[in-house]
Amino acid sequence: MNLRARLTLTYVAVLILGLLAFAIIALAAIDRALHSSLDARLQTAAHAMIALTDTRKGLIHLDSDDRAQFHAILGVQLNGTIYQRDGAVAVSSVADQPDELFALVHQAPAQEQILTLGSHDLAIRALILPLLNDGTITGYVVTWRPSDWIGEFDRAEIISLSIAAIVIVVLAALAGDMVARRALQDTFARQRRFTADASHELRAPLSVIRAESDLALRRNREGGEYRAALAAIASEADRMETLIEDLLAAARAEDGHLVREEIDLSEICSAAVARVVSTARAKAIDLQLDVVAGMLIMADERALSRAVLALLHNAVKFTPDGGRTDLIVKRAGTRVDLLVRDTGPGFSPQALQHALERFWREDAARERAGTGLGLAIARSIVEASGAT
């Protein structure tokens, strides 16, 4: 099974589990709501029936108007019976009461009870309410209704949810396969591009090292020539070391290997300016730092220092001689903004789309020194720090 299929199956499996959990919770909530609604109707009917009853000498009396209202209260969906204290039926909406209710009434319950009797299609939901007169039980009001309709409703909901879940899973599987295919294509394309660019960047210094070594070893040379060859080799080795360090820094940032702690951004910016000030002076660049002390943020000090330095170094490098570069840090509410601004040529429309990608450099910039990783590393560090 290829990676795309595994990703799609994982996505579908997680979705199925989520839908299953949702269905269970939804059915439980609906079932509880239906039972609560039925219980409320039974209670309302029972208390209304109590208001109809008159008690004389310990017996319940109902005239013809009371009996008419009794049936009107129950309507066509509910059933009800009013029992005398000895279990005799004073009035009932049915000819035969369920045996379970008759048995419960003879147990003389002292308080209201709501219970389910029977099971499955024969289940009924019933309420038994003692009828009191001066604190003495003179009878019982019983209301009930078969609850099989709740089970039928639940089954209908299960069927509906199952059909909806199947449709969602099928659509999600198709969409997940498309997303996985596109994501993998993009990932592999970036990986191939990264590998090709890294190979190209490493091949150049290695070629110089090999050429200088071959020339130095081909015949005996003067000491100055050897020193020049060794200097060239050392320079290319430094370039390779810088490239490898940049690659490792980018990898560590993307893997989230950062230690976040409270640091002062103003100190980091001051240190970055101190490191590039000599380069700026050599180009007669007016380098200005605009920041106040106490700009506390949560970040990895070492990693963020590298990101700020990359931004500032990039600005100084592309600012023409006699230009100006500003590093500005300001607070905007709960946010801290860091801006690097220069009088250089700026970004072309193409550069705005690709400048943060590894090894990407505009053709005009490829003749200049650099690995093309500075801004990409800065982006990785900033995003890993929870910023933008």
Side-chain angles (χ1 to χ4, degrees):
M1 184 181 297
N2 58 34
L3 180 59
R4 191 182 80 191
R6 290 199 299 270
L7 288 174
T8 303
L9 286 178
T10 301
Y11 174 72
V12 170
V14 172
L15 181 62
I16 290 174
L17 291 176
L19 289 174
L20 181 61
F22 169 78
I24 292 174
I25 295 173
L27 288 173
I30 293 172
D31 187 79
R32 183 173 181 176
L34 292 175
H35 278 93
S36 297
S37 176
L38 177 56
D39 293 345
R41 293 178 62 189
L42 294 175
Q43 288 177 321
T44 300
H47 286 282
M49 289 158 59
I50 287 179
L52 299 176
T53 60
D54 294 323
T55 303
R56 303 172 188 171
K57 298 181 180 181
L59 296 176
I60 298 171
H61 292 273
L62 295 167
D63 58 25
S64 57
D65 290 338
D66 293 334
R67 293 175 182 274
Q69 292 185 42
F70 168 83
H71 290 285
I73 290 170
L74 293 173
V76 297
Q77 293 183 334
L78 299 182
N79 295 309
T81 300
I82 299 179
Y83 291 92
Q84 301 285 1
R85 183 174 55 184
D86 60 1
V89 175
V91 63
S92 179
S93 63
V94 295
D96 297 318
Q97 292 76 32
D99 295 337
E100 297 90 341
L101 289 177
F102 189 77
L104 288 173
V105 168
H106 278 75
Q107 294 176 8
Q111 57 187 1
E112 178 181 317
Q113 293 184 9
I114 297 180
L115 62 163
T116 299
L117 304 175
S119 60
H120 303 295
D121 293 339
L122 300 178
I124 61 173
R125 188 72 170 172
L127 178 142
I128 302 176
L129 184 63
L131 200 160
L132 303 177
N133 183 26
D134 295 331
T136 302
I137 297 177
T138 58
Y140 297 93
V141 173
V142 181
T143 54
W144 74 91
R145 182 186 175 184
S147 58
D148 55 331
W149 62 278
I150 296 179
E152 293 175 359
F153 186 89
D154 289 342
R155 285 191 290 272
E157 286 297 310
I158 291 174
I159 294 173
S160 299
L161 288 173
S162 299
I163 294 174
I166 292 173
V167 173
I168 291 173
V169 168
V170 171
L171 294 177
L174 296 175
D177 183 69
M178 293 175 59
V179 172
R181 184 191 303 117
R182 181 171 299 177
L184 289 175
Q185 288 175 347
D186 292 343
T187 299
F188 289 143
R190 286 195 300 270
Q191 184 181 30
R192 286 192 295 269
R193 186 167 60 250
F194 171 78
T195 302
D197 288 341
S199 299
H200 172 76
E201 295 290 341
L202 289 170
R203 187 181 296 115
L206 284 174
S207 297
V208 174
I209 290 174
R210 182 61 183 267
E212 292 289 346
S213 301
D214 289 343
L215 288 174
L217 295 173
R218 187 169 297 172
R219 61 180 176 82
N220 292 329
R221 297 178 181 273
E222 297 294 330
E225 293 177 326
Y226 281 123
R227 282 194 296 271
L230 290 175
I233 291 173
S235 176
E236 295 302 319
D238 289 341
R239 182 181 174 185
M240 289 182 61
E241 183 179 10
T242 299
L243 175 60
I244 293 171
E245 287 180 354
D246 287 345
L247 290 174
L248 290 175
R252 282 195 294 266
E254 292 184 354
D255 288 342
H257 293 162
L258 301 180
V259 179
R260 300 184 66 181
E261 56 185 353
E262 189 176 69
I263 59 175
D264 190 345
L265 184 57
S266 60
E267 295 180 358
I268 291 178
C269 293
S270 298
V273 169
R275 292 185 63 177
V276 301
V277 67
S278 58
T279 304
R281 286 174 181 170
K283 298 176 64 177
I285 293 174
D286 182 13
L287 178 60
Q288 295 292 328
L289 173 62
D290 182 6
V291 63
V292 297
M295 289 289 186
L296 301 180
I297 60 173
M298 297 297 295
D300 186 302
E301 182 174 6
R302 183 176 178 183
L304 191 60
S305 297
R306 190 182 190 103
V308 174
L309 183 62
L311 291 173
L312 191 58
H313 181 268
N314 189 77
V316 170
K317 182 172 67 173
F318 288 97
T319 298
D321 294 355
R324 178 186 175 110
T325 299
D326 295 315
L327 176 56
I328 305 167
V329 180
K330 59 183 180 180
R331 188 175 296 279
T334 59
R335 189 183 73 232
V336 174
D337 292 341
L338 184 148
L339 299 90
V340 177
R341 185 169 56 200
D342 61 68
T343 57
F347 288 92
S348 67
Q350 184 183 16
L352 286 176
Q353 296 180 358
H354 302 286
L356 299 182
E357 298 176 4
R358 294 176 180 175
F359 296 113
W360 191 91
R361 287 173 290 177
E362 286 191 279
D363 293 338
R366 284 194 176 272
E367 299 300 325
R368 307 191 183 206
T371 62
L373 285 171
L375 295 182
I377 292 173
R379 182 198 63 179
S380 299
I381 292 173
V382 168
E383 290 179 349
S385 300
T388 57

